[in-house]
Amino acid sequence: NTLKEVNDLQINASEKMRDGFNPTSPADLHEVMIAVEEANIAFQFTMQIRNRLVDAYNELMRMQV
């Protein structure tokens, strides 16, 4: 569910960027930047969680039973 939300933020940012270059009705620059930064922060947060989970898994695999 969280990954879907991160993907939706990235899609939204992509659409805002595309709209920003539309000459007939350009999007406001601050809206584009906010959408891009939201997507970036969400992605970075997701990657940090993934890295922590991989590190925890590797630590468990190194433990001797």
Side-chain angles (χ1 to χ4, degrees), residues 20-34:
F21 291 108
N22 186 356
T24 58
S25 61
D28 292 331
L29 180 61
H30 68 277
E31 290 179 6
V32 174
M33 292 303 297
I34 289 171

Side-chain angles (χ1 to χ4, degrees), residues 11 14 22-23 29 37:
I11 290 170
S14 176
N22 186 356
L29 180 61
E37 283 302 311

